[in-house]
Amino acid sequence: MTELVVPGMRRATDRIQLLARGTVVPPDVSSLVPDEWADLRGGNERRTATISCIVPAYNEEGTIAAVLTSLLAQTRLPDVIHVIINNTDDDTPEIARTFEGAHERVVKGELFRTVVHVHDIGENPDKKVGALNIGYHLSRGYDYILGVDGDTTLDRRCVEWLEKEMVTDPRIGGLSAVYSFDKTKVHGAMAKFLVAGQRAQFAGFNMDNLVRGRNMAVLGGQCSLFSVRALETVMYRHHQSAPWVRDSEVEDSKLSLQIKDAGFNTKISARARAFVGPMTDLRALHGQQVKWNFGGIDLLWPGQRGDNKGQPLHPNLRLRWYENISMLFNISSRMAFLLLLAAALSIDAFVFNPVWLIPPAVATLLNLRIAASMHDKSASDIFYALLMAPAELYMWIRMGHFVSAWVQFLARVEKDNWAAQAAAERGRGSAYVMPALCAAATFAVLIFAWSQQGVGVQSAILSIGWPVLYLVTVLQTIFMLKKLVRRQRGFTV
């Protein structure tokens, strides 16, 4: 039977066993193959894997030097590094070119060589997606492509661990590092508070993925290693000229779904770590989180883009559903509690019950466990969880992002969230205050409506509202307890 060769696939390398650099070569078992299968035995070649690194950069003059320094300090250097500068009007090209050229490093007696190339592609309508695709075409012929954002620094063993995990399981199409934020360079009370919230948010998200068989719903563009064969399979299956497309606000989520559909696994690394660029003010955080939330919603079913296939039952989107449903419960319970509390106090009908202290206590214990699971935890992370108020305030901020994204989606508003995030990071725009204004207006309208009701109607509302809130709160507490007692199997985030 002749072997089926799919056009565009690198079938010539299918039988090559890739090895990680700097590791002990495993024994060759091909000698055990009978002589009559000698031809097949000769095709089972083994060689070290090759890695091309792509760094898309847009106005990254403050971080690009640290990113390239961290890449050149790796215990396993990428074989080539392509910095793809796009739509930039700052000094990113000049700073990046100081690293251009050949570099060598000796690690445990092994010599590693790499070459840094800087490509300034100027105005690019596809922005980050366009830069990634140019980097892909420059990386043809390599086994793996490492995508690193222009504001992400890597732990010194990050590439080494990513490569080792990839070569040991050829079923993996993409492998994401464990993301966190470096708080040592953050200054100011507001910035420290927001970074603490983002650290806790990412820690919880990463742990959810690690304990679910290390299955990663989203191979974040901040630092992920991709199999070129998996990318080529995606391109062939979806009739694409390049792996990344602009069909989604979150290009990494869309590609992750496609890799999974192509029969490959999408995983999170157990040990490789990277530090991403934090959002240090409310405006920038709002722009980023709304884009992420909107992109996730748009992947569940077609939204603004008719060519974006909705896949509500896709296995990679189960965590997205859980996040959306959980956030809906959080909004409902908090808004209902404040409204019912204000209503009860207005007619002197509120009676404190110590049972209400149980949900906050469980939430605090859960936040403490998340903080304790951080690889680089500090006293600030523990205090953030223990004091409860900072975590609660950050939850209200996240609720605003969630509502903004859903309103934009349901209203079918045509908006470039990429441009909105970029403008927010430059200190422009006031969309971040809208959730707070809308919440205040909602409270004012409902309180006024409450004041216009008779005592009988008010009593009926309270007699129905409180039991419903009890039920919702009990369900939330049960889910928190389940996460609190689940085994983390030694993982750290």
Side-chain angles (χ1 to χ4, degrees):
M1 180 183 295
T2 58
E3 181 181 17
L4 175 63
V5 178
V6 181
M9 307 301 292
R10 302 190 308 153
R11 299 297 287 167
T13 63
D14 280 0
R15 295 195 187 95
I16 293 179
Q17 180 185 359
L18 297 177
L19 306 174
R21 290 284 300 273
T23 58
V24 178
V25 178
D28 184 6
V29 297
S30 63
S31 59
L32 302 177
V33 178
D35 292 339
E36 58 265 28
W37 300 97
D39 291 340
L40 292 179
R41 179 173 61 198
N44 292 330
E45 303 175 16
R46 300 192 299 175
R47 61 172 174 79
T48 56
T50 56
I51 300 175
S52 172
C53 178
I54 305 172
V55 184
Y58 163 69
N59 284 349
E60 307 287 2
E61 64 178 5
T63 57
I64 191 64
V67 173
L68 293 174
T69 299
S70 74
L71 282 169
L72 295 175
Q74 291 295 300
T75 54
R76 197 291 192 210
L77 288 181
D79 298 284
V80 66
I81 300 173
H82 292 286
V83 183
I84 316 294
I85 302 172
N86 65 100
N87 303 291
T88 292
D89 55 13
D90 65 3
D91 292 334
T92 302
E94 290 76 13
I95 297 172
R97 287 196 177 100
T98 63
F99 294 85
E100 205 166 21
H103 298 263
E104 293 184 353
R105 185 167 187 235
V106 177
V107 180
K108 295 181 179 179
E110 183 173 2
L111 176 63
F112 291 88
R113 293 188 177 92
T114 190
V115 180
V116 177
H117 301 280
V118 179
H119 315 270
D120 189 352
I121 62 176
E123 292 294 326
N124 171 31
D126 288 334
K127 301 175 184 175
K128 182 181 177 181
V129 167
L132 287 169
N133 287 330
I134 288 175
Y136 164 77
H137 288 293
L138 292 170
S139 304
R140 297 295 294 270
Y142 289 83
D143 299 302
Y144 301 123
I145 290 179
L146 175 67
V148 178
D149 273 357
D151 60 355
T152 300
T153 57
L154 278 57
D155 177 80
R156 62 186 296 271
R157 301 192 69 180
C158 181
V159 178
E160 176 189 348
W161 289 126
L162 288 174
E163 181 190 37
K164 286 180 177 178
E165 291 181 61
M166 285 283 277
V167 300
T168 55
D169 190 351
R171 297 171 300 177
I172 299 178
L175 185 64
S176 170
V178 177
Y179 302 136
S180 187
F181 300 88
D182 184 2
K183 58 184 179 294
T184 60
K185 301 177 182 179
V186 178
H187 305 285
M190 176 59 73
K192 290 181 178 179
F193 159 66
L194 292 178
V195 170
Q198 292 171 79
R199 281 172 59 84
Q201 179 184 356
F202 269 53
F205 175 78
N206 287 328
M207 186 58 72
D208 284 342
N209 286 286
L210 285 168
V211 299
R212 286 180 169 88
R214 295 183 37 238
N215 292 307
M216 190 68 166
V218 179
L219 298 170
Q222 295 93 333
C223 179
S224 291
L225 187 65
F226 298 92
S227 162
V228 171
R229 186 182 174 207
L231 297 180
E232 290 176 347
T233 306
V234 167
M235 292 165 57
Y236 175 75
R237 284 171 56 93
H238 296 275
H239 312 286
Q240 298 172 192
S241 59
W244 287 271
V245 292
R246 278 296 304 272
D247 291 351
S248 172
E249 293 285 347
V250 277
E251 76 294 334
D252 43 12
S253 293
K254 181 66 177 286
L255 179 59
S256 301
L257 299 188
Q258 293 177 325
I259 291 174
K260 190 74 172 181
D261 287 338
F264 292 89
N265 293 330
T266 54
K267 297 282 188 177
I268 182 172
S269 171
R271 292 187 282 189
R273 303 181 184 280
F275 297 93
V276 304
M279 299 294 116
T280 56
D281 61 71
L282 289 171
R283 181 183 284 108
L285 182 64
H286 180 86
Q288 180 200 64
Q289 298 274 331
V290 169
K291 188 192 80 170
W292 284 356
N293 278 283
F294 182 90
I297 297 167
D298 203 40
L299 289 174
L300 297 178
W301 59 76
Q304 319 298 70
R305 302 165 181 78
D307 55 353
N308 185 25
K309 177 184 177 184
Q311 305 180 71
L313 301 181
H314 194 286
N316 273 30
L317 294 178
R318 290 170 187 165
L319 190 57
R320 289 279 188 185
W321 278 112
Y322 174 80
E323 291 171 350
N324 279 266
I325 295 172
S326 175
M327 191 61 71
L328 183 61
F329 271 87
N330 281 319
I331 294 173
S332 302
S333 61
R334 284 165 170 79
M335 293 285 285
F337 177 77
L338 290 180
L339 288 170
L340 289 170
L341 178 63
L345 290 173
S346 69
I347 60 174
D348 296 323
F350 178 73
V351 178
F352 174 74
N353 190 331
V355 172
W356 283 109
L357 296 177
I358 295 177
V362 174
T364 301
L365 290 175
L366 180 58
N367 290 334
L368 280 171
R369 192 179 190 204
I370 291 174
S373 69
M374 293 182 184
H375 180 73
D376 58 342
K377 59 182 173 293
S378 65
S380 61
D381 297 307
I382 302 299
F383 280 121
Y384 172 86
L386 187 62
L387 295 176
M388 191 175 71
E392 181 64 20
L393 179 57
Y394 188 77
M395 174 57 72
W396 278 91
I397 294 173
R398 288 184 61 194
M399 284 159 45
H401 304 152
F402 175 83
V403 172
S404 297
W406 269 103
V407 168
Q408 180 182 330
F409 176 81
L410 295 174
R412 304 188 68 82
V413 176
E414 293 288 346
K415 182 178 180 180
D416 186 349
N417 286 318
W418 288 79
Q421 179 183 348
E425 291 181 16
R426 292 194 298 269
R428 302 175 187 172
S430 57
Y432 71 102
V433 301
M434 290 305 297
L437 294 177
C438 291
T442 300
F443 275 112
V445 170
L446 291 175
I447 290 174
F448 174 78
W450 169 265
S451 66
Q452 303 304 304
Q453 306 303 315
V455 176
V457 174
Q458 291 177 339
S459 299
I461 292 175
L462 291 176
S463 64
I464 296 173
W466 283 114
V468 172
L469 180 58
Y470 295 156
L471 178 60
V472 172
T473 306
V474 167
L475 292 175
Q476 284 186 284
T477 305
I478 290 173
F479 278 106
M480 288 191 295
L481 284 170
K482 182 181 177 182
K483 295 183 71 171
L484 180 63
V485 301
R486 73 182 176 186
R487 294 176 58 242
Q488 294 182 351
R489 292 179 283 175
F491 289 122
T492 58
V493 291

